[in-house]
Amino acid sequence: MHTYLIKKYFRALGMCGLASLGSMGISHAQAPDTSGMAPVKHRDTTLVGNPLATVVVSAFEQTRKLSDQPAPVAYLSGAALGRYGVTGILSAMNAVPGVRMEQRSPGSYRLNIRGSSLRSPFGVRNVKVYYNGMPLTEPGGNTYLNQLSFSDYGSLEIIKGPAGSIYGAGTGGVVLIHSPLYNDTAKGSKAVVNLDGGSYGLRKIGASVRWGGNGAASELRYTDLKTDGYRDHTALHSRIASFETRLQKNDRGQLDAFFHYTDLFYETPGGLTFSQYEADPKSARPAAGPFPSADQNKAAVYQKAFFMGLKRSYRFSSHLENTTVLYGSYTDFTNPTIFNYEYRKEPHFGGRTVFQYHYHGPKTRTRLWLGAEVRQGFFSVKDLQNMQGSPGAPMTDDRIDDLTALLFAQAELSFTHGWDLTGGVSANHEDLRFTRLYPVQARPFHKTYPVVLSPRIALSKKLTPDILLYADVSRGFSPPSVAELLPSTTVLNKHLQAEQGINYEVGSKGRLVGGRLYYDVSAFVFHLTQSISQRRDSSGADYFVNAGSALHKGLEAAFTYRLYQNGHAFISRADAWGSGSLMDFRYEDYRVADKDYSHQKIPGTAPFTAAAGVDIDTRLRLQAHLTWQHTASIPLNDGNSVSASPYDLLGCRLSYGGKLAKKTDFVLSAGGDNLLGETYSLGDDVNASGGRYYNVAPGINFYTNLQIRFLF
């Protein structure tokens, strides 16, 4: 058995090398483009190609070095995102311990941070997402992460666990996305063209233009992506355009604006039973009983979205500053399914403001934050019969008005001898109005959630200038989202309650071995009450129930190590990195009718994950990235009677860059994923009726990318 696995690994490495050489040896892990990156005051920064360089993050509104942040915060630079293929961030996210990004089909994403995706049959819920400080998450709790293209990501910060003291509702965590322009202060103008191709009919054209300098800069980006999909009925076509601009007249103030448009189409194949998965894992869901197949009903998503935001930062004095954002968003979502034909129109708008005061005394440093966030949504949801891909007779017509608001305050005290204390609390309010207009106009359902306080306190100690030890206690809560109150069954669940919990965490991070080794280790215990769990009926429609109390226990670790560095040698730099997580998530008290699921493992979360890789640079602008990810067996239902098989993913990427002219350069890249040829599911449907749990992921696949950059 061991001999077979060794041969399989070497065969996969050989395939990667042949594919790369066939494309002329090949690529820089550089999409999105991050050339010329330099430190920016009050922003997260890293030096590309040096993962041990100082990184400053903005989690919890604190501008700190990552190694000084007393919280479970992970950071993905542009270089880390570009370590894999250039069509998405999924693989990079799955290398972060405690994080699992899932894909049921191209364009259909879920994000699981410490078990948060149990409530997400599709999309991102129970995780708050911001883009350049502007809320992407709707007031109803849903985030369309698929409306961003890969070129819209400059870097990512991931806060794991409850972060309600600053960001409001959500027990899963927070994702802070920063655009390429947000990170980059390089002067001058440039145009970049990206051409991509790969397995399963992948073809992508991308272009960007950046201009400006001396305090003002703008960038326009466009991406057109098509793929035939790796399963039957999984084609995708997305067209995404973004424009952002930054104006900084002096050190006191800065104005940012962002405009974004998405036109997205992707087919949804549906889940398979185990026998169907074994017979033909690439097939779409077949017809069964009264329900047609996914292909017969033309199951798909047609999604158009527009988002715009303004951000104003101003320093009143050396001690007081303010950042305010205003945004507006509109999503037109059409979704023919096996069960129905749904239209959703979701306009929403809002804003966020944060005042910061800081004072440096002789023995202490004090920083205070006071802020507020308000979001208002006016949603329309219509469900009709699906007549083989065409809308039929109306079933329901609903209106949902959702207002969420939070006030928050935070204080940070830094003392002598390396002690630091941070405390924060938010007061959260939600007002939900639901009106059914058809088939019978009913009295509006009005629910106002009581004001919920969400506190957090963190204590840290610098054991040495390079090693931090911290303890963190936080209370999180998460009311049911609009999509959970009104799921695809179209039955309003008036009795679904908010889940709440307390998280206890200890951790350590810092540098060892003369700064060559960076590590981050944390352990947590999260006690959750009224936890919300997803279920599916025979048609595949989802619904949700409160699953009593649950206990989440976990251990997470990550490291980066500089193996070698010599600017005069052929191999100028070599880095090794790795991460892993151990999770024990169980129901404490959960009974359904005559079934007792107490002490069973919570489905949808892997008890063990690991990832590792090696990054190599040479003097000749040739780079190599070798990556490996392991996921243990995942329980798929509350009774733990069915589990997904474990799997290992091996990938590699090679890149080569050079000059075409004095002010024109190029990067040519090629790589492969799943080189071991694993058959696995990356997006299981937990608690699915009829055992339709499985959605197969891509098999062995290859990609190439050509990037040409023109400097002006």
Side-chain angles (χ1 to χ4, degrees):
M1 180 65 178
H2 294 292
T3 303
Y4 167 75
L5 289 176
I6 292 172
K7 289 181 179 179
K8 197 174 183 183
Y9 271 95
F10 276 102
R11 184 168 66 250
L13 289 173
M15 293 173 65
C16 181
L18 289 172
S20 302
L21 291 173
S23 297
M24 297 179 59
I26 353 313
S27 122
H28 189 308
Q30 187 176 326
D33 178 64
T34 51
S35 59
M37 194 174 287
V40 186
K41 196 171 185 180
H42 299 304
R43 294 194 178 134
D44 61 300
T45 64
T46 186
L47 301 179
V48 173
N50 184 1
L52 300 179
T54 299
V55 174
V56 179
V57 296
S58 55
F60 291 103
E61 301 291 346
Q62 297 170 300
T63 306
R64 287 175 174 237
K65 289 192 296 184
L66 178 64
S67 56
D68 292 342
Q69 179 64 257
V73 178
Y75 177 82
L76 290 173
S77 66
L81 293 171
R83 189 180 275 136
Y84 306 87
V86 292
T87 59
I89 63 170
L90 186 143
S91 295
M93 294 287 279
N94 286 339
V96 177
V99 177
R100 175 179 167 84
M101 191 170 180
E102 300 174 333
Q103 177 178 276
R104 297 192 303 163
S105 61
S108 179
Y109 300 119
R110 290 195 294 240
L111 183 58
N112 185 335
I113 302 179
R114 294 183 176 178
S116 62
S117 74
L118 183 63
R119 297 168 51 179
S120 303
F122 58 86
V124 178
R125 300 178 192 166
N126 200 24
V127 174
K128 194 81 172 286
V129 181
Y130 293 83
Y131 192 89
N132 285 355
M134 295 171 279
L136 273 188
T137 301
E138 298 177 343
N142 186 50
T143 304
Y144 292 109
L145 205 57
N146 56 10
Q147 71 184 24
L148 298 176
S149 73
F150 186 70
S151 62
D152 290 321
Y153 293 90
S155 63
L156 282 168
E157 296 176 40
I158 305 169
I159 305 172
K160 294 178 281 188
S165 62
I166 288 288
Y167 301 106
T171 58
V174 176
V175 176
L176 306 176
I177 304 172
H178 305 305
S179 68
L181 187 62
Y182 183 97
N183 283 22
D184 197 342
T185 58
K187 294 182 180 180
S189 302
K190 63 183 176 182
V192 180
V193 176
N194 280 282
L195 303 174
D196 297 90
S199 303
Y200 309 112
L202 170 67
R203 56 268 195 205
K204 187 181 82 166
I205 299 174
S208 66
V209 180
R210 183 179 300 185
W211 64 93
N214 298 322
S218 301
E219 182 168 287
L220 179 64
R221 299 184 293 270
Y222 177 77
T223 300
D224 189 304
L225 170 65
K226 293 181 180 179
T227 177
D228 299 332
Y230 44 85
R231 287 179 66 186
D232 296 339
H233 200 71
T234 56
L236 172 143
H237 186 195
S238 69
R239 288 166 291 187
I240 300 175
S242 303
F243 172 75
E244 59 176 317
T245 186
R246 179 181 66 227
L247 177 63
Q248 185 174 2
K249 291 186 176 180
N250 50 50
D251 290 338
R252 282 185 173 270
Q254 180 171 306
L255 178 66
D256 300 325
F258 180 72
F259 303 87
H260 185 84
Y261 177 75
T262 300
D263 186 351
L264 175 64
F265 160 77
Y266 61 91
E267 296 173 322
T268 55
L272 301 177
T273 66
F274 183 70
S275 60
Q276 294 165 349
Y277 181 74
E278 275 196 318
D280 183 5
K282 292 184 179 181
S283 65
R285 173 175 169 166
F291 303 108
S293 69
D295 183 61
Q296 287 174 325
N297 257 14
K298 305 295 186 294
V301 167
Y302 302 82
Q303 181 179 329
K304 292 181 173 63
F306 177 76
F307 180 91
M308 65 175 294
L310 296 174
K311 180 178 180 179
R312 172 66 169 166
S313 301
Y314 189 78
R315 180 176 290 124
F316 297 98
S317 68
S318 59
H319 299 289
L320 180 64
E321 58 188 86
N322 171 263
T323 299
T324 297
V325 300
L326 298 173
Y327 83 94
S329 179
Y330 175 78
T331 299
D332 190 314
F333 188 90
T334 302
N335 182 204
T337 71
I338 292 174
F339 177 68
N340 59 6
Y341 201 110
E342 184 177 57
Y343 291 102
R344 296 209 307 258
K345 298 185 183 300
E346 300 172 332
H348 60 99
F349 61 91
R352 179 180 174 91
T353 186
V354 183
F355 287 90
Q356 179 184 160
Y357 174 83
H358 48 90
Y359 171 75
H360 291 259
K363 293 185 178 182
T364 62
R365 185 183 75 228
T366 303
R367 289 203 290 173
L368 303 173
W369 292 264
L370 182 65
E373 180 179 306
V374 178
R375 294 173 296 149
Q376 173 71 64
F378 302 97
F379 302 155
S380 169
V381 182
K382 293 182 179 180
D383 285 287
L384 303 88
Q385 294 178 355
N386 189 347
M387 309 301 292
Q388 296 189 338
S390 299
M395 298 168 60
T396 58
D397 185 356
D398 303 308
R399 299 290 184 273
I400 303 112
D401 296 342
D402 197 3
L403 170 69
T404 65
L406 69 114
L407 296 172
F408 59 87
Q410 181 174 268
E412 174 193 315
L413 301 175
S414 298
F415 304 95
T416 56
H417 307 295
W419 287 98
D420 193 286
L421 178 66
T422 301
V425 64
S426 69
N428 300 267
H429 169 76
E430 181 173 7
D431 187 88
L432 179 70
R433 295 178 182 271
F434 173 88
T435 304
R436 172 147 290 176
L437 304 177
Y438 184 87
V440 177
Q441 185 163 353
R443 177 180 298 178
F445 170 68
H446 181 203
K447 183 162 185 157
T448 300
Y449 291 92
V451 174
V452 177
L453 297 180
S454 186
R456 171 182 176 263
I457 187 167
L459 179 66
S460 64
K461 169 73 167 95
K462 277 278 193 160
L463 301 180
T464 72
D466 294 323
I467 298 178
L468 178 77
L469 181 67
Y470 69 89
D472 184 318
V473 180
S474 57
R475 181 176 184 268
F477 81 104
S478 182
S481 66
V482 168
E484 290 165 335
L485 291 169
L486 186 65
S488 52
T489 59
T490 72
V491 178
L492 179 67
N493 188 342
K494 299 180 180 180
H495 305 292
L496 200 60
Q497 300 298 313
E499 62 179 24
Q500 302 187 38
I502 298 179
N503 187 68
Y504 304 90
E505 187 137 8
V506 294
S508 179
K509 58 182 70 173
R511 305 179 188 279
L512 300 170
V513 196
R516 294 171 61 187
L517 173 67
Y518 177 81
Y519 75 94
D520 187 342
V521 180
S522 62
F524 66 90
V525 176
F526 182 35
H527 186 264
L528 194 63
T529 59
Q530 294 291 353
S531 62
I532 297 175
S533 180
Q534 169 205 347
R535 292 181 168 276
R536 288 179 178 270
D537 64 17
S538 58
S539 70
D542 55 89
Y543 65 99
F544 300 86
V545 297
N546 286 112
S549 59
L551 187 64
H552 297 186
K553 295 183 289 185
L555 176 65
E556 300 167 350
F559 77 90
T560 304
Y561 183 66
R562 174 59 47 84
L563 294 169
Y564 174 81
Q565 185 168 7
N566 185 344
H568 301 289
F570 174 73
I571 296 180
S572 58
R573 177 182 64 88
D575 294 325
W577 58 270
S579 65
S581 63
L582 289 171
M583 303 291 186
D584 184 12
F585 292 3
R586 296 180 182 270
Y587 294 120
E588 283 191 308
D589 182 16
Y590 179 31
R591 295 174 176 81
V592 178
D594 59 342
K595 296 179 180 179
D596 188 352
Y597 298 126
S598 302
H599 310 300
Q600 296 284 3
K601 295 179 181 179
I602 296 176
T605 300
F608 172 68
T609 62
V614 177
D615 302 323
I616 298 174
D617 278 356
T618 71
R619 280 193 303 122
L620 301 180
R621 295 191 67 182
L622 178 67
Q623 291 189 340
H625 305 273
L626 182 66
T627 59
W628 165 78
Q629 294 182 356
H630 171 78
T631 301
S633 178
I634 300 175
L636 299 181
N637 59 13
D638 289 334
N640 297 171
S641 60
V642 181
S643 295
S645 299
Y647 58 88
D648 293 89
L649 302 178
L650 185 67
C652 74
R653 178 183 173 94
L654 300 178
S655 67
Y656 176 73
K659 279 192 172 294
L660 296 174
K662 184 177 180 180
K663 291 190 176 183
T664 304
D665 55 31
F666 75 94
V667 175
L668 185 62
S669 68
D673 290 320
N674 193 11
L675 297 177
L676 301 177
E678 294 271 31
T679 299
Y680 70 104
S681 180
L682 186 61
D684 305 291
D685 294 329
V686 300
N687 288 324
S689 177
R692 299 183 182 278
Y693 304 110
Y694 304 98
N695 293 278
V696 74
I700 299 175
N701 62 96
F702 300 99
Y703 57 86
T704 60
N705 166 257
L706 174 63
Q707 180 185 98
I708 302 175
R709 185 175 60 169
F710 307 91
L711 304 177
F712 307 122

